[in-house]
Amino acid sequence: MFVRWCVGLALLLVICFISPTSAQDRAYFVTYDHYLEEPGNLEIAVATTTGMPKRDQPAYTAPWLELEYGLTGWWTGELYLEGVTTRGNGDAFTGWRFENRFRPLKSEHRINPVIYVEYENINEASRIQKEIVGAGGLEFDPIAELKDEHAHELEVKLILSSAVGDWNVAENLIVERNLSKSEGFEFGYALGVSRPLGTIASGTSCRFCRENVRLGAELYGGLGSSVEFARSEQRHFLAPVVNWNLGNRISVKASVGFGLTDTTDRYLLRFGLAYEFPVRSR
Amino acid sequence: MRTMAIVAFACVVTAIGALANESHTHRERTWVAPAAVDSMQNPLKNRPETGAGGQKLFRQRCSICHADDGTGAKPGPNLMLRRVQQQSDGAFFWKISSGNTRTGMPGFSFLPRLQRWQLVKHLRSLAEPTQPRMLSPAKTKR
């Protein structure tokens, strides 16, 4: 049901061609840079993570809906609703997340810090993998069993991001704490680089111009926890990403994440569609 | 119960943020670029073919706050004002790149440098008295 709802919303976004303003240019799925949502703007996005496990476990697709709102120039709030569907292993609504990003400095610096605080009310069937922390692979028990194991988690990130020439370079350090059970503090990271294909804007309105495309790559993974820090259990992914700004406030992005360790899925395919519009004057 | 408390806390925090945003744009009247950027020269100064791209970028990125003709809309200031146009190209470039989180002006350092210079070039063209500009229907005298 949740999956169908997300697909319906995606179609609605595609047909909403209203005005000539631009959508956001963030290329990454996991890594955050220092650009917050413009104050008064709401971004509605639907995205999916499709995992292809290495062994005989069933493939899965985890869709999520994202509502991102610029509260002020230094504060962006975001709500996520997420689900999962698998091939023959069940499907479920897997919970919600509420995140806040704060940018403490007034203007641009060589390195721009952003503080990220998120509360997650999810269950163990969650597969969107917006971040990867801790150690060990995903659990592949039936979704019906996993969805009954609830987890309240608090996640904090230190986001460091820089504009280097035409490139963006971003580093995220992640600490997560499960408030439901004692798992210690779990650690993760994400690194991203990206740049637009075209460096000068053409004078005509065009969807297929190089200037509308941003390419990049991200490296992300879980490092372990304060309880367990086994290198063999770590998960790392390397993922090329592409973001295409279609104009009319709509952008699409896609990535293929390649699992680099034994405990990772073989691939993580991600696809996202975002629509951004002002909901109040700034 | 704990979940409800967290949700309630999140709602209160969000409301405070929204209220804070209502007043912060009036707090900072002066925003001055570092003096060092005044010596920066626009590399596109002698490339008139890049002007149309600057206009397109301005409409995409800036007109929602500054209006299509740069005369300003809430909360973006009028970019035609003498005190705005008196700034150097370097100051424009710095402000476009940096943004100001306290006034809500987004930073555009994610745009390539040349695109930011295209925006500077367009800002300058807005104030050129010799360049005929289309008046919006609401401002056209009948």
Side-chain angles (χ1 to χ4, degrees):
Chain A
M1 184 65 190
F2 181 75
V3 177
R4 277 187 224 142
W5 195 74
C6 283
V7 170
L9 186 65
L11 292 173
L12 185 68
L13 295 183
V14 169
I15 59 172
C16 284
F17 288 84
I18 299 173
S19 91
T21 55
S22 284
Q24 269 209 355
D25 298 73
R26 191 195 309 148
Y28 312 121
F29 279 91
V30 176
T31 313
Y32 282 86
D33 56 32
H34 65 289
Y35 303 106
L36 303 187
E37 187 61 67
E38 294 182 23
N41 269 17
L42 176 68
E43 182 181 280
I44 302 175
V46 285
T48 59
T49 299
T50 298
M52 307 287 184
K54 277 182 177 151
R55 296 175 189 88
D56 290 336
Q57 290 103 349
Y60 57 87
T61 296
W64 74 89
L65 170 70
E66 189 177 333
L67 303 170
E68 182 178 83
Y69 183 65
L71 287 150
T72 71
W74 48 269
W75 180 7
T76 288
E78 205 162 345
L79 177 71
Y80 291 86
L81 302 174
E82 55 167 276
V84 66
T85 179
T86 63
R87 204 174 287 167
N89 203 24
D91 45 38
F93 174 71
T94 55
W96 57 271
R97 301 160 186 244
F98 180 66
E99 74 171 45
N100 290 279
R101 279 176 283 150
F102 304 98
R103 192 172 157 185
L105 302 181
K106 185 172 100 172
S107 54
E108 183 98 359
H109 294 266
R110 204 171 291 260
I111 297 174
N112 301 282
V114 174
I115 307 297
Y116 172 111
V117 182
E118 180 180 73
Y119 171 75
E120 301 172 1
N121 185 348
I122 56 178
N123 56 52
E124 295 295 338
S126 174
R127 294 279 187 276
I128 68 170
Q129 297 171 82
K130 272 289 288 173
E131 72 286 319
I132 293 176
V133 293
L138 293 172
E139 291 181 48
F140 284 95
D141 295 334
I143 295 295
E145 292 176 20
L146 292 173
K147 75 175 184 182
D148 290 332
E149 293 179 41
H150 294 280
H152 300 275
E153 295 179 344
L154 187 66
E155 181 184 306
V156 177
K157 288 181 190 175
L158 173 63
I159 298 165
L160 303 172
S161 170
S162 310
V164 184
D166 293 340
W167 291 82
N168 172 261
V169 181
E171 308 89 30
N172 300 175
L173 304 168
I174 310 167
V175 180
E176 188 173 285
R177 171 88 172 166
N178 189 340
L179 305 174
S180 304
K181 51 186 172 182
S182 179
E183 293 176 339
F185 290 95
E186 296 179 295
F187 302 101
Y189 72 95
L191 307 170
V193 292
S194 69
R195 65 159 285 161
L197 263 187
T199 56
I200 201 151
S202 63
T204 55
S205 181
C206 52
R207 286 198 207 293
F208 298 99
C209 297
R210 287 154 52 100
E211 75 209 47
N212 295 335
V213 178
R214 194 170 186 98
L215 296 177
E218 45 184 354
L219 178 69
Y220 50 85
L223 297 170
S225 71
S226 55
V227 175
E228 182 185 12
F229 199 87
R231 287 186 70 174
S232 60
E233 291 292 305
Q234 290 179 351
R235 287 195 293 155
H236 303 283
F237 285 92
L238 178 63
V241 291
V242 58
N243 179 71
W244 180 22
N245 190 337
L246 293 171
N248 299 315
R249 299 173 175 172
I250 294 177
S251 65
V252 295
K253 57 183 174 181
S255 91
V256 184
F258 299 94
L260 302 178
T261 61
D262 285 343
T263 51
T264 59
D265 290 347
R266 192 182 307 274
Y267 305 112
L268 282 184
L269 309 175
R270 298 186 194 258
F271 178 79
L273 174 68
Y275 175 61
E276 181 183 350
F277 58 99
V279 294
R280 67 172 164 83
S281 61
R282 293 168 203 167
Chain B
M1 186 61 193
R2 188 166 62 176
T3 303
M4 289 297 291
I6 290 170
V7 171
F9 174 73
C11 291
V12 169
V13 167
T14 303
I16 291 170
L19 290 172
N21 185 51
E22 285 301 311
S23 59
H24 83 279
T25 53
H26 304 292
R27 215 178 292 151
E28 193 161 11
R29 292 278 177 203
T30 55
W31 180 29
V32 181
V37 302
D38 287 339
S39 60
M40 294 171 79
Q41 299 292 317
N42 190 340
L44 304 177
K45 203 167 192 172
N46 298 316
R47 289 182 59 186
E49 76 278 9
T50 60
Q55 184 179 35
K56 184 179 83 173
L57 284 172
F58 187 85
R59 286 191 173 150
Q60 288 176 340
R61 308 280 180 183
C62 316
S63 63
I64 193 166
C65 288
H66 295 286
D68 275 353
D69 58 1
T71 52
K74 190 186 173 189
N78 183 347
L79 301 173
M80 313 281 282
L81 295 175
R82 181 189 294 255
R83 67 177 169 81
V84 176
Q85 289 290 334
Q86 276 175 341
Q87 297 174 82
S88 65
D89 281 359
F92 273 154
F93 182 84
W94 183 85
K95 288 187 174 182
I96 289 168
S97 303
S98 176
N100 184 334
T101 58
R102 301 300 179 262
T103 63
M105 161 83 181
F108 291 94
S109 60
F110 60 85
L111 291 176
R113 288 177 67 85
L114 288 177
Q115 289 188 21
R116 283 175 268 157
W117 282 117
Q118 281 182 284
L119 281 170
V120 173
K121 190 178 175 71
H122 181 68
L123 287 177
R124 286 289 178 230
S125 74
L126 287 173
E128 286 173 7
T130 52
Q131 184 177 339
R133 285 186 297 111
M134 295 284 288
L135 290 175
S136 60
K139 293 176 182 172
T140 307
K141 287 183 181 172
R142 295 182 187 277

